[in-house]
Amino acid sequence: MEAMKLDIKKRLFMLMLLGSLLSFLFLGSSLFYGLYGVWDSFNAKKEEATVVVTDYNRDFAKEQTQETMDRSVELKSETVSFEVNAIKEDVKYLSNEVSEILKSPQNYELKKLPNAADGNLPGGIPYVQISPELKSQGITPELEKEIQLVSNIGEQMQSLGLYYVNVFVASKNGYTIYYDTSDEKGYVAILSREEWRDTYDARKRGWYTEGMNSQEPIFSDVYTSITGVKIISCVMPYYDQHGVAGVLGVDCSPKNLFIQEEEGKVHESFIINKKGVILLSTVQKSFFPPNKVLKRMRQRFTGYEKVFVDNEEYFLSYAPIDNTDWCMGTLVSKEEVMKDAVTAQHRMVEQMNIFYTSFARIILLMGGLTIVISLVLFSLILYCSAKIATRVSKPVYALMAGADEIAKGNFQYKIQIHTGDELEQLAENFNKMTDALNHYTQEIAYRAKEKSRVEAELSAATNIQISLLPSPLPPRDEFSLAAAMYTAKEVGGDFYDYYLIDEKYLAVTIGDVSDKGVPAALFMAGVKTVIKNNILSAMKKGVTLEAALYYANNQIIDANKENYFVSVFAGILNIETGEFTYVNCGHNPPALMDEEAISYLPSFKTNAVLGVKADWKNNENKIQLKQNSFLFLYTDGVTGALNENQEFFTKERMEHVLREMGTEAAPEEIIKGMNEAVISHIKGTGENVEQSDDITMLVLNYKGCEDMDSEKEIVIPAKVEELPKIVSFITEISRATDCSERSINQLMLVVEEIFVNIAEYAYKDKEAVAIIKGKLYGKPPEIELKFIDEGVPYNPLEKDDPDIDAALEDREIGGLGIYLVKKKVDNISYERQGKKNILTIRKKMI
């Protein structure tokens, strides 16, 4: 044999190495240098562009904010003006009522209210307080009668007490009828406390003197009340047959004049009078306007200034309040003013970063393209090298041709190569191998044929079993459902089923046959069909679920030649009510999961599996599902799953997974999470551990129906005096869940406006009734109220909203009430049904 020459492997390696080096040196160096230059230039311009754009955006946002603040304080001052007029109207109403009682005593009964002298009266009720001077003089029978007559004003005081700090009627004769608005537990009425019950004389208070000197409602200056709280009072005199009989009024807090924002809070605002005295303020910090601003506010100018409060920069907007000599100011921190500018700046920087990232991707793409081109060139070199190698090494092709013949099954073919190198040795080895392969070919072909036949049969059985599983149901608002089966072999003995019996009832079934493999799968298919047919037939005939399983058991036994048995759990859900009727035939009890805990559905101990004993009766149970509760149905392939240490998965592990998933997870997510946990337990650290039993699960999430909460109704005379009953009715509805106090108070204002309109205008002085229907539903809670009357047809929504920007003398009378109603509710609609007016409002109670 001649001496071995340079082998093929070394020759090809040298050619490929040379081609690769030439490719990367030629293309890579020039392209990467260009990309580096572009990247360096872009970085130099990036920061400069970001600074210029963000500075412009900040200045623009600041100008917009100033215009918004000016308009906001003007609108707030107009709203305060409206509230001032409303307070004065309430005081006038109270004065007219008391004056009517004193001027027409024959129309009223004598009424006795609790006396402050009795000591420690609770809040929330009207009571009488006698001044020290009147006590020393003694109360005459005539004065006692007057006190009992004026006591009839108690109900009206309670009604006004919903909106004000205190309500009072102070007689020039020395007695006071007082109403503390607080009804919290343990609260003691102010004038019944020891330090005031025998010393208080309303006639010596500043507001009394101001009221006696006025014929119309007036506001006092801010003063410290007897409880130590700074308030202002709106007062005016009331009259009897002889003239002025005393002074009455209400105490006001900031919430009476400052309307809350939609966020649920009042901006830091304040009101000053023409004397420069701050009447009411919601400013949390110690603040008084600078002299320059104070002078302009006293002169009733509108303006915008920058001020400092506790060394912090704020912006102050101010505007006069119509129909008063007051001026209103609003403080907004610089941080809030600049909030939009900062947000815009962040967005711009973010957009620049996005552009930066996009450009970086382009650079990377170009770099990647360079690499791809290099690889293509490298592949071309390889191809050329292979062609060259082929030409110089014909023996390789001869060897390849021989290998092809052998691969085709021609084991008689012999490779003839005489090169004196490794290829000749390889050819001799191939010839020896073909002799051995020829011996085993027939045996291998026979075994492959048998294996293919078995695999085809198992594949067909698997497809048949999958086709028997139910298709997904159309989505429903009342429930969601998911199920899955993971077989240990190609086919399994577990099954599940679900279907709508009709629009009202949903049936679910899960079962486990006593064996595995194809025979068990065939038996399972028959059992599933028998159970479904009997349940559908039973529901159609009005037969119970337990009777349906009774007949199914007998049919299974009649066709059960192999003595299989099957555990079954079957249930029927009433979709509208949440009632769940079920029969457990020797199956694992399903887990019930809600927000409170995880429990298992109880079963009768006498219930048995199907297919064992004929005429055996399995008893049914019923439970009531809560809204957003979950039923987890499973076979013992879940809890009985074994790992390499022969440890079961157990119910405890299953419950742990359910708790981790929680009631916020979808049924599909629960099934996926449970299967992953079971498989992880089985595998452990041993990758070759196999699943030993079928794993089947069905999860039903009952969400409930929207109309499960009932609607409440009240029918009352259409009279303003009945308003407290409506307040109680709506309070009862809104207290049924977590409604905010702010939303309840706003709702009461809306209800009063609508009902007063019905009482005063709907029936044109005819006596009739009004119907109010209420319903609270949803999370977060939302209330729906319907106001129904049979008065004259009237659609309040047809009237245009008042132009609150117009001057007072240019505005049309009326319309503010329904305008405020629209602003305080989320939805309002009107319809006329026959002779009925129906006004519906909806409001979120958060």
Side-chain angles (χ1 to χ4, degrees):
M1 185 178 292
E2 297 180 1
M4 292 183 62
K5 301 177 182 179
L6 188 64
D7 60 84
I8 296 174
K9 178 179 179 181
K10 291 180 179 180
R11 283 179 281 172
L12 291 176
F13 176 77
M14 292 177 64
L15 288 173
M16 288 187 293
L17 180 62
L18 179 61
S20 298
L21 289 174
L22 290 174
S23 299
F24 284 105
L25 288 175
F26 177 77
L27 182 62
S29 58
S30 58
L31 286 178
F32 277 107
Y33 179 78
L35 290 175
Y36 174 78
V38 173
W39 180 252
D40 186 62
S41 176
F42 176 77
N43 278 331
K45 296 295 183 180
K46 173 193 170 187
E47 295 298 330
E48 180 182 349
T50 301
V51 171
V52 172
V53 173
T54 53
D55 285 348
Y56 170 78
N57 190 68
R58 186 188 299 110
D59 294 340
F60 178 77
K62 185 175 179 181
E63 293 176 2
Q64 292 295 106
T65 302
Q66 180 176 345
E67 294 178 4
T68 302
M69 286 187 63
D70 289 341
R71 182 69 193 108
S72 175
V73 75
E74 291 177 0
L75 182 60
K76 289 178 182 177
S77 67
E78 292 177 0
T79 305
V80 172
S81 175
F82 177 82
E83 295 295 333
V84 167
N85 291 334
I87 294 171
K88 288 182 177 180
E89 288 299 320
D90 287 342
V91 174
K92 280 184 180 181
Y93 163 74
L94 191 63
S95 176
N96 292 337
E97 290 293 316
V98 177
S99 299
E100 177 65 21
I101 291 171
L102 291 176
K103 291 178 181 180
S104 304
Q106 69 278 4
N107 296 333
Y108 298 88
E109 297 179 354
L110 299 181
K111 185 174 182 180
K112 190 172 182 179
L113 294 177
N115 196 309
D118 297 337
N120 293 345
L121 297 176
I125 61 171
Y127 58 92
V128 179
Q129 187 271 338
I130 307 300
S131 68
E133 181 180 339
L134 181 56
K135 284 184 179 179
S136 63
Q137 293 175 357
I139 301 175
T140 64
E142 291 78 8
L143 185 56
E144 178 65 29
K145 180 179 179 181
E146 178 183 327
I147 293 174
Q148 293 183 8
L149 278 172
V150 179
S151 295
N152 282 284
I153 200 64
E155 292 185 4
Q156 289 84 339
M157 295 176 74
Q158 285 181 300
S159 177
L160 291 176
L162 294 173
Y163 314 106
Y164 301 105
V165 178
N166 299 302
V167 185
F168 50 83
V169 178
S171 171
K172 69 179 181 180
N173 293 324
Y175 66 86
T176 301
I177 297 179
Y178 208 84
Y179 178 76
D180 301 65
T181 59
S182 177
D183 58 356
E184 64 184 43
K185 186 177 182 180
Y187 178 83
V188 177
I190 298 172
L191 298 185
S192 71
R193 300 176 185 176
E194 183 176 357
E195 64 268 30
W196 297 107
R197 69 172 74 119
D198 297 323
T199 59
Y200 182 78
D201 190 341
R203 297 172 297 181
K204 296 180 181 181
R205 311 299 291 182
W207 54 262
Y208 183 89
T209 303
E210 294 178 2
M212 291 294 287
N213 295 329
S214 174
Q215 296 180 351
E216 294 293 328
I218 62 170
F219 284 89
S220 69
D221 289 338
V222 63
Y223 67 94
T224 302
S225 70
I226 59 177
T227 59
V229 179
K230 290 187 178 296
I231 57 175
I232 62 172
S233 300
C234 182
V235 297
M236 74 171 293
Y238 66 92
Y239 306 89
D240 58 14
Q241 298 92 334
H242 307 293
V244 176
V247 176
L248 52 76
V250 297
D251 293 334
C252 302
S253 67
K255 73 177 184 178
N256 294 120
L257 293 175
F258 296 140
I259 301 300
Q260 290 185 336
E261 304 292 340
E262 291 183 359
E263 301 86 29
K265 64 179 182 179
V266 176
H267 274 304
E268 295 191 283
S269 303
F270 62 92
I271 298 174
I272 67 169
N273 61 13
K274 64 181 179 181
K275 300 176 184 178
V277 176
I278 294 180
L279 298 179
L280 291 173
S281 174
T282 60
V283 179
Q284 301 297 318
K285 301 182 179 180
S286 58
F287 168 76
F288 195 82
N291 291 335
K292 174 185 174 182
V293 178
L294 181 62
K295 181 177 179 181
R296 289 181 59 81
M297 293 180 72
R298 291 177 62 186
Q299 294 175 350
R300 299 176 58 76
F301 284 108
T302 298
Y304 174 88
E305 298 288 343
K306 180 169 68 175
V307 297
F308 289 88
V309 182
D310 294 343
N311 296 323
E312 294 184 19
E313 190 173 353
Y314 282 76
F315 292 92
L316 169 63
S317 294
Y318 51 90
I321 301 174
D322 295 339
N323 302 320
T324 69
D325 56 1
W326 300 347
C327 189
M328 180 176 182
T330 298
L331 278 175
V332 181
S333 66
K334 180 181 178 180
E335 179 181 354
E336 184 173 350
V337 170
M338 298 302 295
K339 180 173 62 176
D340 290 340
V342 172
T343 301
Q345 180 179 353
H346 289 167
R347 290 178 179 173
M348 183 58 66
V349 171
E350 182 181 350
Q351 291 299 318
M352 292 294 294
N353 288 334
I354 292 174
F355 175 73
Y356 179 82
T357 302
S358 299
F359 191 81
R361 288 176 180 172
I362 293 174
I363 297 297
L364 291 175
L365 180 62
M366 294 179 67
L369 184 61
T370 302
I371 295 173
V372 170
I373 293 174
S374 299
L375 292 176
V376 171
L377 183 59
F378 181 73
S379 299
L380 182 61
I381 293 173
L382 288 178
Y383 174 78
C384 294
S385 299
K387 294 291 288 183
I388 295 172
T390 301
R391 290 179 180 179
V392 298
S393 57
K394 290 183 178 181
V396 174
Y397 286 103
L399 182 61
M400 292 175 60
D404 288 338
E405 287 294 324
I406 295 171
K408 294 175 182 178
N410 184 7
F411 300 129
Q412 304 300 325
Y413 183 84
K414 300 299 179 181
I415 300 175
Q416 302 296 327
I417 295 178
H418 304 284
T419 59
D421 57 15
E422 297 93 342
L423 292 178
E424 184 176 348
Q425 296 177 11
L426 182 61
E428 292 176 357
N429 291 333
F430 260 84
N431 293 332
K432 294 177 182 179
M433 181 183 67
T434 54
D435 293 335
L437 288 174
N438 191 36
H439 175 73
Y440 295 110
T441 300
Q442 293 182 352
E443 182 178 355
I444 293 173
Y446 174 79
R447 292 182 179 181
K449 182 178 180 181
E450 286 297 308
K451 183 178 179 181
S452 297
R453 182 182 61 81
V454 173
E455 288 177 349
E457 291 177 355
L458 288 175
S459 176
T462 300
N463 294 333
I464 292 172
Q465 187 172 37
I466 293 173
S467 68
L468 293 175
L469 297 177
S471 301
L473 296 175
R476 294 285 296 261
D477 294 334
E478 301 92 341
F479 68 88
S480 59
L481 182 147
M485 181 172 67
Y486 307 92
T487 58
K489 299 180 179 179
E490 286 78 4
V491 291
D494 287 1
F495 72 95
Y496 65 84
D497 201 3
Y498 52 82
Y499 44 90
L500 286 169
I501 298 173
D502 54 29
E503 287 300 309
K504 185 177 179 181
Y505 293 99
L506 168 72
V508 294
T509 310
I510 191 169
D512 188 357
V513 177
S514 57
D515 200 358
K516 302 292 181 290
V518 175
L522 295 175
F523 181 74
M524 174 272 290
V527 169
K528 175 176 174 290
T529 303
V530 168
I531 292 175
K532 180 175 181 179
N533 291 341
N534 276 276
I535 290 177
L536 292 174
S537 177
M539 292 299 293
K540 186 180 296 184
K541 298 176 181 179
V543 179
T544 62
L545 179 61
E546 65 181 33
L549 271 297
Y550 173 87
Y551 296 126
N553 178 52
N554 286 342
Q555 292 180 26
I556 292 170
I557 291 175
D558 291 340
N560 187 6
K561 306 304 181 183
E562 301 297 329
N563 296 321
Y564 288 127
F565 60 87
V566 57
S567 65
V568 174
F569 177 90
I572 296 177
L573 171 66
N574 187 322
I575 300 171
E576 297 177 355
T577 66
E579 183 183 69
F580 186 73
T581 303
Y582 66 92
V583 175
N584 191 338
C585 303
H587 197 76
N588 300 311
L592 173 61
M593 179 173 59
D594 53 32
E595 294 179 353
E596 299 176 359
I598 295 176
S599 60
Y600 293 89
L601 299 190
S603 300
F604 293 94
K605 293 183 179 180
T606 56
N607 285 14
V609 295
L610 303 183
V612 175
K613 186 175 181 179
D615 299 324
W616 186 266
K617 180 180 179 182
N618 286 312
N619 297 311
E620 70 180 32
N621 281 14
K622 291 184 179 181
I623 61 169
Q624 180 64 42
L625 296 182
K626 300 177 182 178
Q627 287 183 301
N628 200 37
S629 57
F630 284 76
L631 277 177
F632 180 72
L633 283 64
Y634 62 97
T635 61
D636 54 13
V638 175
T639 55
L642 280 170
N643 62 11
E644 60 182 345
N645 298 322
Q646 299 302 300
E647 296 174 338
F648 292 105
F649 187 71
T650 72
K651 281 187 177 181
E652 288 74 19
R653 287 190 175 92
M654 182 184 76
E655 292 171 4
H656 176 73
V657 174
L658 291 176
R659 289 191 183 94
E660 281 191 338
M661 300 297 291
T663 57
E664 299 298 325
E668 296 84 358
E669 296 173 345
I670 293 176
I671 288 178
K672 180 181 178 182
M674 187 64 71
N675 183 61
E676 290 175 351
V678 173
I679 296 302
S680 176
H681 171 78
I682 294 173
K683 296 293 184 181
T685 58
E687 291 297 322
N688 295 325
V689 180
E690 296 295 332
Q691 176 184 337
S692 62
D693 198 1
D694 300 335
I695 299 173
T696 304
M697 295 172 282
L698 187 150
V699 179
L700 171 62
N701 173 210
Y702 180 65
K703 303 175 183 178
C705 301
E706 289 186 357
D707 58 351
M708 292 180 72
D709 294 328
S710 60
E711 186 179 68
K712 297 181 180 180
E713 177 181 303
I714 185 175
V715 181
I716 57 172
K719 297 181 179 179
V720 176
E721 294 80 8
E722 301 295 331
L723 188 58
K725 294 181 181 179
I726 301 175
V727 172
S728 298
F729 169 72
I730 295 175
T731 299
E732 178 185 356
I733 297 175
S734 60
R735 296 297 185 190
T737 187
D738 296 330
C739 300
S740 70
E741 199 67 31
R742 177 182 67 86
S743 297
I744 295 174
N745 292 336
Q746 290 180 350
L747 182 63
M748 294 305 180
L749 291 174
V750 170
V751 169
E752 179 181 358
E753 177 65 28
I754 295 174
F755 181 74
V756 169
N757 283 341
I758 294 174
E760 293 184 350
Y761 304 114
Y763 293 98
K764 295 184 178 179
D765 300 327
K766 293 190 300 182
E767 293 187 359
V769 299
I771 301 174
I772 300 177
K773 296 182 178 181
K775 180 180 179 181
L776 189 69
Y777 58 93
K779 288 185 180 180
E782 185 172 357
I783 195 168
E784 179 184 275
L785 295 176
K786 292 185 178 181
F787 297 84
I788 305 172
D789 66 84
E790 295 185 354
V792 295
Y794 176 66
N795 182 1
L797 304 182
E798 292 179 346
K799 186 174 180 61
D800 294 335
D801 291 340
D803 184 3
I804 61 174
D805 295 330
L808 185 61
E809 60 273 13
D810 297 333
R811 299 182 190 173
E812 295 182 4
I813 298 176
L816 279 177
I818 194 65
Y819 174 75
L820 285 180
V821 169
K822 293 178 182 177
K823 293 297 182 182
K824 296 296 183 183
V825 299
D826 299 296
N827 183 269
I828 182 170
S829 62
Y830 167 84
E831 62 177 331
R832 179 77 178 179
Q833 291 185 358
K835 298 181 179 180
K836 295 180 179 180
N837 294 306
I838 302 177
L839 185 68
T840 304
I841 63 171
R842 294 181 70 175
K843 178 174 177 61
K844 293 183 175 65
M845 303 301 287
I846 56 174

